[in-house]
Amino acid sequence: MIEEASYPSLSGRTALVTGAAGGIGQAICQRLAGQGVTLYAGDLKQVSIPTLDGLISLELDVTSTEDWAAAAERIRADGRVLDILVNNAGIYAPASLENETGDGFRRLTDINQFGVFWGMKSAAPLMPEGGAIVNLSSIGGMVGYNGTFGYAASKWAVRGMTRSAARELAPRRIRVNSICPGVIDTPMFYENDPAQLATFRETVPLGNLGKPEDIANAVAFLASDEAGYITGTDLLVDGGMLA
């Protein structure tokens, strides 16, 4: 059960969350819904979160411009504007420079980078009265790690796009920030080899893996008016790993 933080400025707003079917995405949906947000939940398959009534499920492949156009049209057809976009969808698929393939690198770029780009491009016209965009990057987008070459490239790109978009969209009162999770207890973490898993665990100063709810709490803050003077920045949620 997620304990609700008090962010009253979210009540009555509308959000689109990508990669919403599980893990961090599902936790984000639960957090925002708990604050009174109307949710459009996008993923490759129909999203069903039993505890959330009124969730609007979208089949959304973030690499598909057609899917993004359909999502935007659905929001317009429902007579809504968009207040919050959370670009959460992503993949890990760790591989070293020497072992990465062209197809693997392109897939990481398509999902982790292009998906964020097209999400922001699609969402901005739906935010005529301002809004908040939160992009999921990673500590792997801030420092180098062995064996995550393509992933790191895509997550560094997310941070760069976030800052550029923050400057471009600031006159329209659209804030754009990124969250950089550390090691979070989701299936993605266990894609690492066992030795790397142990190393990651040992290097968290707080001594434990993060929970999806830790990222959801950060999203709720950045989406709220309490973060109204914050844009173009990276919020680390990493248990002190990069301290």
Side-chain angles (χ1 to χ4, degrees), residues 4 19 21 42-43 45 87 101 108 120 134 164 182 196 207 222 225 231:
E4 302 298 346
D43 211 309
K45 57 186 178 181
N87 280 311
T101 65
L108 282 158
M120 292 193 291
V134 183
S164 294
Q196 189 78 326
L222 287 177
D225 288 348
T231 194

Side-chain angles (χ1 to χ4, degrees), residues 126-197:
L126 300 173
M127 297 178 163
E129 300 175 3
I133 297 174
V134 183
N135 298 323
L136 270 290
S137 181
S138 168
I139 58 170
M142 301 192 83
V143 295
Y145 285 104
N146 291 333
T148 63
F149 184 81
Y151 177 77
S154 67
K155 291 301 186 178
W156 278 84
V158 168
R159 292 179 56 229
M161 291 189 298
T162 295
R163 294 185 178 221
S164 294
R167 283 190 170 271
E168 291 185 14
L169 298 176
R172 295 166 53 186
R173 309 304 298 175
I174 299 173
R175 298 181 298 103
V176 190
N177 293 290
S178 74
I179 291 175
C180 296
V183 288
I184 308 300
D185 193 3
T186 67
M188 185 179 288
F189 174 67
Y190 297 97
E191 292 180 37
N192 292 289
D193 64 59
Q196 189 78 326
L197 289 176

Side-chain angles (χ1 to χ4, degrees), residues 18-94:
T18 69
I24 290 173
Q26 182 170 321
I28 292 169
C29 288
Q30 291 172 321
R31 164 59 75 211
L32 295 182
Q35 302 307 138
V37 174
T38 297
L39 275 172
Y40 289 85
D43 211 309
L44 292 173
K45 57 186 178 181
Q46 287 293 112
V47 179
S48 176
I49 304 174
T51 58
L52 296 183
D53 295 328
L55 177 145
I56 302 160
S57 184
L58 302 173
E59 288 195 23
L60 176 57
D61 176 351
V62 297
T63 70
S64 168
T65 57
E66 291 82 5
D67 279 9
W68 276 111
E73 182 54 36
R74 172 64 190 272
I75 293 169
R76 290 191 187 96
D78 288 346
R80 297 184 179 277
V81 298
L82 192 64
D83 302 294
I84 301 162
L85 169 68
V86 185
N87 280 311
N88 166 72
I91 60 170
Y92 186 35

